[in-house]
Amino acid sequence: VVVEELLKKGGNSVIVFDPVGQWTGFVKKNEDNRMRALYKKFGLKGTKDFRANIIDITAKTMNVDILYYMRRSGLTVFKLDKLTPKELDKFVDLSLDRIYRTKFSETSSLRYLIVLDEVHRLLPKYGGKKAHIKLEQAVREFRKWGIGLLMISQVLTDFKGAIRGNIGTEIQMRSRYEGDIKRVRDRHGSQFSKLIAKLPTGLGEVECSDYNKGNPYFVEFRPLLHSPFRLNEKLLRQYIARTKIILAK
């Protein structure tokens, strides 16, 4: 939903590191009847698909020029499901390092959004090595260049050390993981933590120090406009075939 709203405004570049191919659904309209039944409640008039570059990252395209796609407005999805854990770590490490070394001009406005899904895959226990360190560097310094980071994982405690310390906005959806529940309890008290395991689908606890004196809001997110499912293989091949792949020199 966050990415959809940013794309609707136009002018920004969104780069998605997609380990499972789920984000390819952006190019197709939502056909899920359960979601569409909620459109009236949120004042939504209809479904929407979004134009996107879909790039299938393999051993031959690991050196893709991420800077080329950052300079293009709109959505680019790097589909990473064919990479081994070692290759995934290497690709994310290489990409974030290339962005860091470019040293964009400073700005207070958002220019680019980098989305990292399934962040737990970058942890050492899941095969990660260097990328997690590079991500820590990114959360410390990318903001001054107008580069936002949207990091997604199954549990908030997957975000370690300085990465967790530099998160500006947290969105906690329903979780029965005791680590997440304890974290909310320590920060806001048991009256909030007791709700985490009981949140209905679509309702999340949103926390940002710039608002409400740092106390959390409970926000009901609207349904998606695009398809929540990955493209089938036939459609994927068509989109991948017509996407120009630019490799770094």
Side-chain angles (χ1 to χ4, degrees):
V1 172
V2 173
V3 171
E4 279 188 350
E5 289 296 322
L6 187 61
L7 292 173
K8 283 165 61 179
K9 291 181 178 180
N12 294 102
S13 171
V14 180
I15 305 291
V16 178
F17 293 85
D18 182 8
V20 295
Q22 202 74 26
W23 291 74
T24 59
F26 261 85
V27 301
K28 188 177 179 182
K29 293 181 178 181
N30 194 342
E31 298 177 352
D32 186 271
N33 289 330
R34 291 180 300 173
M35 280 195 181
R36 291 172 65 174
L38 297 170
Y39 277 20
K40 185 177 180 180
K41 175 182 179 181
F42 290 86
L44 300 175
K45 296 181 179 179
T47 60
K48 180 176 174 57
D49 53 0
F50 295 84
R51 294 183 62 183
N53 297 304
I54 299 176
I55 301 176
D56 198 20
I57 300 297
T58 65
K60 294 181 179 180
T61 55
M62 292 277 282
N63 196 35
V64 66
D65 188 356
I66 189 172
L67 301 177
Y68 170 83
Y69 298 97
M70 287 180 68
R71 295 185 181 107
R72 297 166 60 93
S73 63
L75 177 64
T76 298
V77 177
F78 291 135
K79 192 170 76 70
L80 311 175
D81 54 333
K82 293 180 180 178
L83 301 182
T84 65
K86 184 177 180 180
E87 289 172 335
L88 173 65
D89 184 81
K90 180 180 178 181
F91 177 75
V92 175
D93 174 60
L94 181 66
S95 298
L96 293 179
D97 183 64
R98 185 166 282 136
I99 296 170
Y100 178 78
R101 287 188 290 106
T102 300
K103 297 190 182 301
F104 296 86
S105 61
E106 295 188 7
T107 179
S108 58
S109 301
L110 181 68
R111 291 170 172 162
Y112 320 98
L113 181 68
I114 308 294
V115 181
L116 295 108
D117 203 353
E118 304 284 349
V119 169
H120 70 274
R121 295 179 183 231
L122 303 181
L123 297 174
K125 64 180 178 179
Y126 294 108
K129 190 175 182 181
K130 294 182 178 180
H132 199 260
I133 298 172
K134 196 61 65 176
L135 181 57
E136 179 179 315
Q137 187 179 49
V139 299
R140 289 176 184 268
E141 302 195 47
F142 277 15
R143 186 185 300 111
K144 65 189 176 190
W145 298 320
I147 304 172
L149 287 162
L150 176 58
M151 301 175 291
I152 307 165
S153 198
Q154 300 297 322
V155 294
L156 275 172
T157 45
D158 282 343
F159 303 104
K160 306 295 184 181
I163 293 177
R164 184 189 299 178
N166 280 278
I167 293 174
T169 302
E170 292 182 5
I171 302 175
Q172 171 73 68
M173 308 306 283
R174 180 176 60 229
S175 175
R176 292 185 172 87
Y177 178 59
E178 182 56 38
D180 282 343
I181 295 172
K182 180 179 182 301
R183 187 159 186 255
V184 174
R185 183 169 60 244
D186 291 345
R187 291 164 72 93
H188 304 295
S190 60
Q191 72 271 28
F192 289 102
S193 65
K194 289 178 181 178
L195 298 173
I196 297 302
K198 302 176 183 179
L199 293 176
T201 300
L203 186 67
E205 183 195 72
V206 180
E207 175 190 331
C208 178
S209 59
D210 289 339
Y211 300 95
N212 201 28
K213 298 180 180 180
N215 294 315
Y217 291 98
F218 285 88
V219 176
E220 187 174 14
F221 291 89
R222 66 161 175 79
L224 297 173
L225 303 178
H226 74 276
S227 173
F229 308 112
R230 62 178 289 163
L231 290 185
N232 61 46
E233 287 302 316
K234 182 179 179 180
L235 281 174
L236 264 177
R237 286 195 296 270
Q238 292 176 4
Y239 273 94
I240 291 171
R242 64 189 189 212
T243 298
K244 188 177 183 180
I245 300 178
I246 304 296
L247 300 180
K249 296 180 180 179

